[in-house]
Amino acid sequence: NPASLRTPYFHIKIMDYIEKMTVQQPDSIAESIDYILSLVEPAEDTYRFYLSYFLNDAAKSKIVGFDAIYVHLMDNYYMKGKAPWAEEGNLKKLKQNADRLRPVLIGKTIDDITLYQEDGSEFKLSDVETKYTVIMFWAPDCGHCKKAMPEAIAFNEKYKDKGVTFLAVCTKTKDKYQSCWDVLEEKNMLGFLNLGDQYGRSRFKSKFNVRTTPKIFILNENREILMKNLGSNQLEEIMDHIIEMDKEESEPLKN
């Protein structure tokens, strides 16, 4: 009976399958959601409920990387006409959000961009010669940046000789651009590679989906996103984990 699919009992079973019986990785969860949706698709109301539910749940998730589930549902359902109830205006907003997220999903490669040092000299992401790049987008008048900066500075001092380059990219442009450089000494940021883009020529805000600050990314030598949206207090733990994982993968298997 399709009506039974919307009962609390059935919903608990579905969520147990998604949350307890599925590996909590975006690809695995997306596969399980696809399976659930394929089962309920004949029941139109139930299908609509669960597709909407999973999309909203992914949109609200605070778990790093789970935005990939949102993009998956948009690309494979909403943008393929499998959510005919979605109004055109709302669908446009949902698509715009997916388009912002898609280039910065974990595992994606960031296009090479050119930023500028205080003296106006160019610096490209491809100029980084270390195995890892940490990029922190910040603003001089950002209260959260002020709180995060001491931890970011300590991290840079500890890891700058461990194959990590730290780029501090100021988000101010045009007439506020000079404020990026005026506070560096005061904030003890001279140990960073400080960068900016006065006229937004690199479009770094859209390419990295920078809508708030601070925003931190970790890239590998191929400019692939290893981690994003982490707090400065998480940098050491996550960086240690990444380095250890890479070390294990590079070591030959023992008999």
Side-chain angles (χ1 to χ4, degrees):
N1 183 355
S4 67
L5 300 179
R6 292 280 297 275
T7 64
Y9 174 80
F10 190 80
H11 185 69
I12 290 171
K13 290 291 186 182
I14 286 180
M15 297 315 297
D16 279 349
Y17 180 74
I18 297 294
E19 296 174 353
K20 297 180 181 179
M21 299 178 66
T22 300
V23 176
Q24 293 300 288
Q25 297 290 339
D27 289 347
S28 299
I29 294 174
E31 185 176 341
S32 289
I33 288 175
D34 287 343
Y35 175 65
I36 293 295
L37 292 175
S38 70
L39 292 179
V40 303
E41 189 171 8
E44 184 177 338
D45 288 346
T46 304
Y47 169 77
R48 174 175 176 172
F49 172 81
Y50 276 105
L51 179 53
S52 301
Y53 175 85
F54 288 131
L55 185 77
N56 290 332
D57 191 55
K60 294 184 296 184
S61 178
K62 301 298 183 182
I63 301 176
V64 176
F66 276 33
D67 49 359
I69 301 170
Y70 178 91
V71 173
H72 172 84
L73 293 173
M74 284 301 304
D75 289 349
N76 291 280
Y77 295 90
Y78 284 80
M79 301 317 302
K80 290 186 176 181
K82 295 182 178 181
W85 59 84
E87 297 179 358
E88 184 176 350
N90 189 42
L91 185 61
K92 183 179 180 179
K93 292 179 181 178
L94 295 174
K95 181 182 182 300
Q96 287 174 341
N97 192 38
D99 290 343
R100 284 193 295 265
L101 295 172
R102 192 179 294 105
V104 290
L105 296 178
I106 289 178
K108 291 286 188 178
T109 300
I110 293 292
D111 291 338
D112 195 13
I113 61 174
T114 300
L115 296 167
Y116 302 87
Q117 300 184 63
E118 184 175 8
D119 62 4
S121 58
E122 296 183 352
F123 184 90
K124 296 182 178 180
L125 285 184
S126 58
D127 291 336
V128 175
E129 298 180 348
T130 52
K131 187 173 179 62
Y132 306 105
T133 305
V134 174
I135 306 177
M136 179 179 67
F137 296 96
W138 69 285
D141 56 355
C142 163
H144 291 295
C145 298
K146 183 177 180 180
K147 293 178 181 178
M149 202 60 70
E151 291 170 326
I153 292 168
F155 171 87
N156 182 51
E157 285 299 311
K158 184 174 180 179
Y159 288 83
K160 63 183 180 181
D161 296 324
K162 297 183 179 182
V164 179
T165 296
F166 198 111
L167 309 181
V169 180
C170 181
T171 59
K172 294 298 183 182
T173 58
K174 299 181 180 179
D175 60 330
K176 296 182 179 179
Y177 184 65
Q178 184 56 41
S179 66
C180 295
W181 313 108
D182 292 341
V183 300
L184 294 182
E185 186 172 359
E186 172 193 335
K187 293 181 179 291
N188 296 317
M189 293 177 61
L190 297 179
F192 295 141
L193 182 49
N194 291 287
L195 302 166
D197 185 354
Q198 183 172 5
Y199 302 107
R201 289 163 289 193
S202 64
R203 296 178 55 245
F204 68 84
K205 289 185 180 180
S206 60
K207 290 183 178 181
F208 282 89
N209 192 30
V210 179
R211 307 180 78 184
T212 60
T213 53
K215 189 161 188 173
I216 299 175
F217 288 81
I218 300 178
L219 312 180
N220 66 12
E221 67 269 34
N222 299 316
R223 301 195 306 278
E224 294 171 341
I225 300 172
L226 301 178
M227 186 55 68
K228 63 177 182 176
N229 300 346
L230 59 156
S232 57
N233 61 330
Q234 300 173 295
L235 268 169
E236 287 197 21
E237 179 183 356
I238 292 175
M239 195 73 249
D240 285 343
H241 178 71
I242 289 172
I243 292 172
E244 184 61 29
M245 290 289 290
D246 283 349
K247 181 180 178 182
E248 291 177 1
E249 290 180 4
S250 64
E251 289 179 348
L253 294 175
K254 297 180 180 179
N255 295 328

